Amino acid sequence: MVAWKPKIIAFTCWCSSSGVDQAGFEGFKYPANVLTVRVPCSAIVNPSIVVKALEEGADAVLLTACKPVELRKIAPSRITEARVSLLRRLLKTVGVEEERVRILWISSNEGGVFANEVSRIVEETERLGPLNLRGRMLEQP
Amino acid sequence: MRRVTVLLCTCGSTLLEKIDFNKVSKELYKNPLVKKIEIVDGLCKANTVKSLSLDANERIIAAACSSRLLEAVLKNLSNAKVIEFVNIREQCAWVCDDKEDASSKTIRLLNGSINRAVRSNPPQYSDGLKIVREAMVIGGGIAGVRCALDIANAGYRVYLIEKEPSIGGIMAQLDKTFPTLDCSICIEGPLLSEAGRNKNITIIPNSEVVGVKGRVGDFRVLVKVNPTYVDPEKCNGCGECANVCPVYQPNKYDVDLKPVKAIYCPFAQAVPLKYVINKEYCIECGLCMSVCTRAAINLEDKPKMLELNVGAIVVAVGSDLFDPRLKPEYHYGEYDNVITNMEFERIICASGPTGGVLLRKDGKPAKRVAFIQCVGSRESGPGIGECSYYCCAASMKEARLILEHDKDAKVFIFYNELRAFGKGWEDLLYRRCLEDGIVFIRSRPSEIKRSPNGNLIVVYEDTLTGKRSELEVDMVVLALGFKPSENLAKLAATLGVSVDDQGFIEEAHSKAKPLETRVRGIYVAGTCHGPRDIVESAVEGSAAAALVISLFRSGNVKLPETAVVLESKCTGCGRCMPVCQYDAIVRDGEKVRVLESLCNGCGACISSCPQEAIVLGDWGIEQLALQISGMLGD
Ligand SMILES: Cc1cc2nc3c(=O)[nH]c(=O)nc-3n(C[C@H](O)[C@H](O)[C@H](O)COP(=O)(O)OP(=O)(O)OC[C@H]3O[C@@H](n4cnc5c(N)ncnc54)[C@H](O)[C@@H]3O)c2cc1C
Ligand code: SF4
Ligand code: SF4
């Protein structure tokens, strides 16, 4: 039997996508089960799309975004941060572990950070086991 | 069904040992959306691309290296349009140790993109939007004048909007400039008259911008021209009117220190050199009208509105100075000989109120003068938190000017950190000051007191020795920091540009786009976006001009993909408005609308709209959902 491997969807904003590409360019390795979806900005990711990914079989969802910098008022990723934290709390109420949805600050030159962080996240998700959101929802009383 | 062609690139032979292309191809052919798969050995090579003979209508998915590399190359090699890029090199081959893993990741990523592509439209390489090749510069200080001259000399018309009767700004009021101590108006005057003579520059004095519509390349700017009661077309600057005018008023140019008549010309080098009436003081006696041989005076003059159509706007309105009355401990406006450095510049100037002699209010010469630095800068109080950049150098310059006029004078500078970082500042200012015997005391004085003999007493603690002391002087000069006023906030709001925490105009990016604002086509130069000196203001004027010229030479403007509100779906709930970090969403009757000049295409609004009423190119929730199910499917 093939060992179970989690599937992880990573929404990567334009800038952090460069970081993701850089990880490969610099020879960092990370597990193959992290699937990237490139978006213009993390703030475009509707919470319902995150839920959709979990429903479709993802065991965890990751959003990589630019760190909102102090002194710069314009920072759409602050909105992402707020939405992610709300979504995590909502998911918890239906029994989904908060660790299944995360935000990571990755700037366009942080390939190594991305590789390390996703490797850790894959391990942690392996420990959580399969999500099977659809099945779990059916079992809900 | 809209089917796709997948181009799988082996990147020479680089990817062959990492990805099983036969397996990938076999798996992908199972997807009914795939029409054709081509395995090629270098999508970045002209020969390869030519041999594929791609047609412009083909819907292509390119699976190769990073799109950041490939997109630009491919655009030049072929007119075929790639709908989706999938990075199988940096994201699959190079990050997986195992060929099996890399191949299955490649298949998943591609299935996602193939699914998504069904709903995507090929990128539009539009011809762009038209550009009006005329510019507006708001503010006629050194930054604005330098900018207007450079744009005009490149052959484009410039409207120079100036609030005051003359261009010139602060530099026209200064006596000498640091570090060289050369005459300020002698440097700026020729530039002002050159701007006045230049056929491509239309100076519109006494005016302000009250409304802006449109976008980069095509702004419609509403300008209000305030009445001056003198027809500038007729006035030839003879000054007969002022000779007969019976009323005096304080002249703003001389910081209210040297009265002029109610009908006046602000200074000898003014551009335009025209007389204007200050209606606050005018008694409407009509004497001026009776002597003006050119019948230029019209006491019934009314404000006029102009609508100007320009392609680019440069904001160079400078900044106000800190109001020293907000520091009651220094008793400015209450004690006679506490003055500002701006007043000092006028007093020490040969054309100033005392003919260049540093006199106290009682007419006695000032022999002992103290400067207090950072008044309204580098503090958490009513001023700004920042260093005001120019004032250490300005005070050292002014201290040296005192000694140039009077060798026996004694000068003290109360500083916090002495900053002499510019070219020539260390040598021509700081070292000379030390040689001249100017005394530097490290302290922010706590109070100025008045002694019975009318002298001033500076109370301070020397922060190097920790000793508290008092110093008796004839005169105290307050080195004022820059402090943006309501005026700047109002203009920023009118233009749609943002301001920073200190109230200065905010750049689009402080390093990558230091002279752009969040509104494409609106640029900044000079002290309106933060403290700086003359050199830097002039440099920025030229640099902003270069940006305008490069916009004008660039053919048409291409705007990034922007969000659009579907009127039929929008209920006007307004949820999207605070979400937009660029304030690009505005009310439009019952509904809302996106201002394309401000939208940056981030898509934050789309995901906040409960009605799914906002669209942004192919970034709909539907496309993302399709992509995800494609990736996750078995
Ligand atoms: C006392 C003092 C001494 C100084 N000494 C030196 C020195 O020796 N050397 C040096 O390098 N720097 C010196 N500086 C700093 C220098 O003056 C500034 O860096 C420089 O003048 C900034 O130029 P600017 O064009 O940005 O702004 P400004 O000179 O302030 O010009 C702005 C112009 O815009 C106009 N304006 C304002 N609002 C509007 C509006 N809403 N619409 C239309 N027009 C508007 C104003 O009337 C003005 O003409 C000194 C400053 C002070 C206060
Ligand atoms: S959130 Fe949607 S419905 Fe509400 S105002 Fe914005 S576009 Fe209209
Ligand atoms: S896409 Fe971003 S910038 Fe444009 S209107 Fe929506 S939130 Fe504002």
Side-chain angles (χ1 to χ4, degrees), chain B residues 5 39 44 65 154 204 214 250 263 275 304 357 365 411 421 550:
Chain B
T5 299
I39 299 179
C44 52
C65 55
I204 310 179
I263 186 163
Y275 278 70
K304 287 182 214 51
V357 189
V411 186
F421 46 87
S550 93

Side-chain angles (χ1 to χ4, degrees), chain B residues 61-128:
Chain B
I61 295 186
C65 55
S66 174
S67 63
R68 286 184 303 142
L69 302 171
L70 191 58
E71 200 168 3
V73 179
L74 220 52
K75 211 158 57 188
N76 296 329
L77 292 183
S78 158
N79 58 357
K81 285 167 186 160
V82 177
I83 305 181
E84 289 280 328
F85 287 89
V86 179
N87 185 355
I88 60 169
R89 191 177 75 174
E90 283 88 344
Q91 290 199 17
C92 298
W94 287 356
V95 291
C96 297
D97 280 325
D98 183 76
K99 193 167 180 176
E100 185 79 7
D101 278 352
S103 308
S104 61
K105 185 174 179 186
T106 301
I107 295 164
R108 284 196 183 280
L109 290 182
L110 271 163
N111 269 328
S113 291
I114 293 165
N115 252 17
R116 171 197 170 82
V118 179
R119 280 266 161 272
S120 301
N121 296 305
Q124 300 293 320
Y125 299 124
S126 75
D127 292 341

